[in-house]
Amino acid sequence: MILRRSSRVLAILLLCASAAGQAAPDEAAFQRSIGLRRAWQDLTRDVAWPAHWTPDGRHFSYRKTVAGGFAFETVDAETLAKSAAFDTARLAATLGEARHEAVDALHLPFAEFDYADGGKAITFGLGETRWRCGIVVYRCEAIVDNSRPRGFGVVRDLSVPADNAPTVSPDRTWTAFVQGDNLVVRKAGDAAVVPLSVDGTAGDFYDPETLRWSPDSRHIMIYRVRPGYQRRVLRVESSPRDQVQPKLRSQLYPKPGDAIDQERPVLFDVATRRQTVIDDALFPNPYQLSAPRWRKDGRSVAFDYVRRGFGRVRIVAVDAESGVAHAAVTEDAKTFVFADLRYQHEVGGRGDEIIWASERDGWNHLYLVDGRTGKVKRRITSGNWVVRDVIAVDDVKREIVFSASGMNAGEDPYFRHVYRIGFDGRRLTALTPAKADHDVRFSPDGSLYVDTYSRVDLPTVSELHRSSDGALVATITKGDDGALRAAGFRPPEVFVAKGRDGRTDIWGVVVRPRDYDPRKRYPVIENIYAGPHDSFVPKQYWPFGYHSGGDKVIGMQAQADLGFIVVQIDGTGTANRSKAFQDVAWKNLADSGFPDRIAWHRALAATDPSYDISRVGIYGASAGGQSTLNALLFHGDFYKVGVAYAGCYDNRMDKISWNEQWLGWPVDASYAAASGVDHAARLTGKLLMIVGEQDSNVDPASTMQVADALIRAGKDFDLLVVPGGEHSVGRSTGPIDYVARRQFGFFVRNLAGEPVPDANAVR
């Protein structure tokens, strides 16, 4: 149900309103809330994840909920017969043996996988590592990446050798590698090494991991690298489990403004040994160059260029014979080009035509670009809606399949739907009619697709469709949450209100206590994540955490049950709407969409007398931790209590990649403007900061610098440092129950004004 401001609702609720108070939560209430996820997580049936096709396109597989946990199921795309995707018990035993830990067959630690080895194995990610497990011969092993690590993609870790395995030319005539910082080749069957360069040094070396042969084996492009600053973040592991004394940890961690690796493309003609350093006029001051990619005919090679500061991106194409470069596509922005939103496809692999995603008209759309001139040949999509992802391109039929949101009037503008369109912008065809958020996976030949869709109030439905006309072939699964609802679960309410400008719709969700009484008054807690790189209010069903970035609905319910209304909102400055909507965050991270959020709160309070807008708290992690602190620093008249996890409280202390994307380069006053350290003296209200001692995502010193500034300003606050804890402490790993109790108790005591059960009492 979508709630909007309504005089009728207001009248009804006013009749029911009273000053009735809340009973203070006792120890049993705390334990119920802390254990809610465990109590409810196995109560749904046939809630399915997106499908993955076998390489031959004859079958597809997915995870779904079953009694006691999860199962992986495979469907024959022709007969529709279902069977187990693999033996989960054997895989659990094999994976557990490889990881030296117990693995539960009904709770395998991954939700999606890809097929490998012709369907004889699967691969999946666990943390930072990818794994391969055989499902014919059951054996699991970590996939070893021999490449040299790079700090956030821009500074090579020189303490680790590069992968210098000889690279064989396509015609098998030559091998190429780096010897003594220079590029050399060796003819097949010959022991003699032929140097192609002699100017490489330890401070200006040829990187073997960037070496790329042309398809005709005549040329090589490779990058010559001047190393950037090797900044190291040091962390003390105070309480290791395997020894008494602490350990010192070191991490390569470039920060905003640091000198980064400078890469210069160099082209070699193998037969003549001619060396051509590519003129960098088209790619000055690069933040990042992609690896070279040769066109199919070998006549040119291209790479992507992101200018430092993110104001320009470009495809640079280089003629293989002359070494002359030209701009195949250029994208400029007055604010930033959203790096994660970039998409390109070279039609036919030749580079004459390029499908390119651009926000140049204020919305992310697709264009057909002449790769020789860089000029737009024609627009493919247009309108006040956004292309979210390109799923497939058929160069022969000259058709594109893509997902988009915001196209359907009267619908949640974040719902993704899938469409097909011609390169000429004609024949736009909708493939997913259901009013929901859709995740579509096509068979390898594109003839079929599995559409998995849901809403926060609609368990997933998974359907097999024919691509040619979108016709339904069969319903594969239909989620059932009857037992979950019987246990007391209620989906979040969707609420929409106008933002700071009085025109823009701001969307959020509301979670109420299971014993909600509209006659009572409830303090409010906002779950915030306002990173500009995505939107975070859940749109899909899975209430235990299907969407990255935001807290789980069940986590919100657990807090609501202690006597709160808990909400989550996407304000301006977040993604997946217009360019102007997201641009609010540019050089303005302290904003976090707060004027929109506060307007949303006030609109809901105007319709709901139980919504106590005089008592609003807030919590969040990472960028959400920064926003939580800033709520108390810059909007202390509205937000009274905050719990901030692992915050990047000063963007000069955080990773280079995320912060230069939104605040630009060079480091300027906008970094200080959002700093919780510089503005710590403005703190009002109650603050609890929680940080993992071993946070490898955000330098934990950022939290301690806020603490130092608060102490110097004479401010009271609470601080919890979790020994050994990582960035996700209290959310997906670590002592979850302990930090959850500390968060819940902090809100009960300081926002609800109620006593908290004594955890140290003898029982």
Side-chain angles (χ1 to χ4, degrees), residues 144-150 160-163 209:
V144 178
D145 181 1
N146 292 319
S147 61
R148 171 182 274 159
R150 299 192 192 188
V160 179
D163 183 359
E209 295 181 357

Side-chain angles (χ1 to χ4, degrees), residues 699-722:
D699 186 347
S702 185
T703 297
M704 304 311 294
Q705 289 183 358
V706 174
D708 176 63
L710 291 171
I711 291 169
R712 287 186 285 108
K715 295 292 184 177
D716 291 336
F717 65 99
D718 288 73
L719 174 66
L720 171 60
V721 179
V722 179

Side-chain angles (χ1 to χ4, degrees), residues 484-508:
L484 183 62
R485 287 178 182 259
F489 171 73
R490 296 294 178 268
E493 303 162 7
V494 178
F495 183 74
V496 187
K498 299 301 179 184
R500 71 185 80 184
D501 60 4
R503 301 186 307 274
T504 304
D505 279 343
I506 302 298
W507 289 69

